[in-house]
Amino acid sequence: MSTVDRKEALQRYKERKLVGGICCIRNTATDKRLIFVENDLEAGRNRFEFTSKSGVCASFKMQRDWKTQGAQDFVFEVMEQLEMKEDQTVAEFNEELKMLEEMIKGRFLKGEMY
């Protein structure tokens, strides 16, 4: 990749719309979920795919089930998606995502979550 191509790719990356959301890693065998905020959904999905392929557990809270069942029993799911507004700071965006996370977590019983 040439220097010009790299600079253009970097510029496109910086100008992209930031899309965050509330995600979960769901155990398909038990239906237990680890619910969390991800301020960049694409990066979160990539991180989960990498950890799954490398055999590394995505979270300490799920480690026991991950080791006994294997990565194939876990999936990454987007529960709610939110696009950052142009006039919003990253801190404001993260705060909005945290409020959304609390609302979603309230829908689940403790036994259904990690």
Side-chain angles (χ1 to χ4, degrees):
M1 182 181 274
S2 73
T3 304
V4 173
D5 291 340
R6 269 190 233 126
K7 286 182 181 180
E8 287 175 1
L10 181 60
Q11 189 62 33
R12 282 193 306 273
Y13 175 79
K14 287 180 179 180
E15 292 173 353
R16 80 194 194 312
K17 294 264 186 191
L18 189 58
V19 178
I22 309 308
C23 305
C24 76
I25 298 176
R26 185 172 59 88
N27 181 329
T28 59
T30 65
D31 209 36
K32 284 176 72 174
R33 295 169 170 84
L34 175 67
I35 299 172
F36 57 96
V37 169
E38 187 62 66
N39 67 1
D40 185 341
L41 292 177
E42 185 179 340
R45 186 177 308 279
N46 289 340
R47 199 170 23 262
F48 175 76
E49 288 175 11
F50 176 79
T51 59
S52 295
K53 289 177 184 174
S54 64
V56 176
C57 182
S59 170
F60 180 74
K61 293 178 181 181
M62 310 182 299
Q63 195 166 9
R64 182 181 308 146
D65 289 347
W66 188 281
K67 282 185 176 183
T68 58
Q69 295 172 237
Q72 73 280 354
D73 280 355
F74 293 84
V75 293
F76 180 91
E77 298 175 338
V78 176
M79 301 176 81
E80 292 285 337
Q81 185 171 305
L82 191 63
E83 188 173 301
M84 185 172 152
K85 299 171 188 84
E86 287 185 29
D87 62 341
Q88 203 171 28
T89 66
V90 173
E92 291 169 336
F93 182 57
N94 287 337
E95 187 62 33
E96 192 172 351
L97 287 170
K98 285 302 262 181
M99 287 189 299
L100 187 57
E101 177 190 32
E102 291 306 314
M103 289 176 12
I104 289 174
K105 279 185 173 180
R107 297 182 201 164
F108 292 90
L109 299 173
K110 283 290 183 192
E112 298 173 321
M113 295 191 338
Y114 283 104

